Amino acid sequence: MTAFMGVPTTDTVLKAKDYASDQEVRWCPGCGDYVILATIKSFLPELGLRKENMMFVSGIGCSSRFPYYLDAYGIHSIHGRAPAIATGLAVTRPDLAVWVITGDGDALSIGGNHLIHALRRNVNMTILLFNNRIYGLTKGQYSPTSEVGKVTKSTPMGSLDHPFNTLSLALGAEATFAARALDSDRKGVTAVLREAAQHRGTAFVEIFQDCPIFNDGSFDVLRKEGYEQRLVPLVHGEPIVFGTDGEFCVVRDGFGLAVRPTSEASDIVVHDAHTDDPEYAYALSRLSDQDLTHTLTGVFRSVARTTYDDAARDQVARAQADQPTSDSSLQQLLLGRDTWTV
């Protein structure tokens, strides 16, 4: 059962250009959102779905302009509330492929409650969180993912807040699918999107994305010389080994995981994204830190669980089947045994 089971497919062979809207793309020059947009437009034809049955819902922020730039249906909604609106669509319209486009400020500040409950409920939608660790649209305040000590317009002496570990948050909320990618790694983003598309339930994908105006170079250590010492790629079924020559690895360490030199390790962890053990994926997320010393990318967790929308539709169908048609009129309801005092 895939994420888009029940969504009408198309016989027309689509290309990336078919998803380009007639709107001028208005992000700052050099913004990582351009790369993400191009990657997603190149990926969408793989799904073979009718564009008329694709819905992109966003909140407020730079990332939330995304629906304007795709030739598909979209809603530019309320600050932080995109997961709630997407939940309504997913429950009532099983013929839609529902996507949420959000940012670290939109999703993790005012929208935090909506995000965790969408993940907990396992609503059938794909959530893409663009994380640039800053408020870009409102001109450079610190966000829930900004590092401790971050100097911004709203924290001129440095942020005092401890930032969210976004993947830890998602997994703590019982996410059935959690992944991370880097905007400039088009191959990595596409691979994660491909797996997210196969997942029925809430597929949560964090994408590190550069803001060249208010947080320029925030992820440069993951792109420039020596990045192999910091990027830890996760591939299901393969040992977690990284470095220029595979000189580092991940091993079990008490109740958690740790990074060790491969030459000193006797039991390298083999990544299992499908394990029923939620503590394993959570331990993986804790290896990532705000200094980006170790940054894991790929799919952390992908497990099956009944989706909220499938269960809700089944419950409605059973209620309708159990309701005698002769007593379904408004008059019968008013004359029934239930009473109200006004």
Side-chain angles (χ1 to χ4, degrees):
M1 186 178 291
T2 65
F4 304 127
M5 185 190 71
V7 181
T9 57
T10 177
D11 295 329
T12 305
V13 178
L14 298 173
K15 299 181 179 179
K17 64 180 182 180
D18 295 316
Y19 288 93
S21 76
D22 59 357
Q23 299 298 300
E24 177 188 0
V25 181
R26 299 181 63 186
W27 286 314
C28 300
C31 177
D33 288 352
Y34 284 99
V35 181
I36 300 173
L37 175 63
T39 303
I40 291 176
K41 285 196 296 187
S42 297
F43 164 73
L44 289 177
E46 288 188 21
L47 301 177
L49 303 177
R50 289 181 52 187
K51 291 194 296 180
E52 296 85 350
N53 292 82
M54 303 188 76
M55 173 62 77
F56 290 81
V57 185
S58 66
I60 298 297
C62 294
S63 63
S64 294
R65 296 190 61 81
F66 199 92
Y68 293 106
Y69 308 140
L70 284 177
D71 187 23
Y73 283 108
I75 298 176
H76 192 173
S77 71
I78 311 168
H79 202 187
R81 273 65 175 180
I85 294 170
T87 295
L89 286 164
V91 170
T92 59
R93 291 290 302 275
D95 61 322
L96 294 180
V98 181
W99 301 69
V100 169
I101 308 296
T102 186
D104 47 303
D106 184 57
L108 300 176
S109 186
I110 190 171
N113 212 34
H114 293 290
L115 176 67
I116 62 174
H117 288 298
L119 295 168
R120 174 179 66 87
R121 287 170 172 151
N122 197 36
V123 183
N124 191 36
M125 65 174 77
T126 303
I127 301 176
L128 305 183
L129 188 152
F130 301 178
N131 183 4
N132 56 20
R133 308 207 290 188
I134 202 77
Y135 276 97
L137 186 68
T138 50
K139 307 301 185 283
Q141 301 88 346
Y142 81 109
S143 87
T145 56
S146 295
E147 315 92 290
V148 173
K150 184 74 174 181
V151 175
T152 72
K153 292 179 179 180
S154 57
T155 54
M157 296 179 65
S159 170
L160 302 177
D161 286 7
H162 187 80
F164 275 128
N165 180 318
T166 311
L167 266 296
S168 294
L169 176 73
L171 291 163
E174 303 291 339
T176 55
F177 184 100
R180 177 188 289 135
L182 182 64
D183 60 357
S184 57
D185 180 13
R186 293 190 62 168
K187 182 178 179 181
V189 174
T190 301
V192 164
L193 291 175
R194 192 171 287 128
E195 293 200 49
Q198 295 301 313
H199 181 76
R200 190 162 187 85
T202 306
F204 177 82
V205 179
E206 176 187 33
I207 305 176
F208 283 158
Q209 168 257 327
D210 195 44
C211 174
I213 305 302
F214 299 109
N215 203 17
D216 192 26
S218 53
F219 299 110
D220 278 359
V221 293
L222 303 179
R223 300 185 176 96
K224 295 183 177 179
E225 184 178 356
Y227 74 90
E228 299 94 343
Q229 312 301 318
R230 292 175 175 266
L231 270 180
V232 185
L234 297 174
V235 180
H236 177 71
E238 294 189 8
I240 307 178
V241 176
F242 65 102
T244 307
D245 298 307
E247 60 268 36
F248 298 104
C249 66
V250 173
V251 298
R252 297 279 181 180
D253 183 35
F255 291 107
L257 302 172
V259 172
R260 296 283 187 268
T262 304
S263 59
E264 301 175 9
S266 58
D267 188 17
I268 300 174
V269 171
V270 175
H271 181 46
D272 183 2
H274 306 313
T275 177
D276 290 331
D277 176 15
E279 288 81 6
Y280 166 70
Y282 187 82
L284 279 178
S285 73
R286 303 311 296 170
L287 289 173
S288 297
D289 52 45
Q290 60 177 310
D291 296 327
L292 305 177
T293 303
H294 299 120
T295 302
L296 282 72
T297 61
V299 178
F300 287 62
R301 188 181 195 220
S302 179
V303 297
R305 194 174 80 222
T306 301
T307 69
Y308 179 86
D309 43 308
D310 285 336
R313 287 189 294 270
D314 179 66
Q315 190 176 75
V316 169
R318 286 187 285 110
Q320 291 174 335
D322 293 341
Q323 177 66 42
T325 55
S326 60
D327 295 332
S328 61
S329 67
L330 177 60
Q331 189 65 21
Q332 288 292 335
L333 178 63
L334 293 175
L335 296 176
R337 289 176 294 177
D338 293 325
T339 61
W340 296 267
T341 301
V342 180

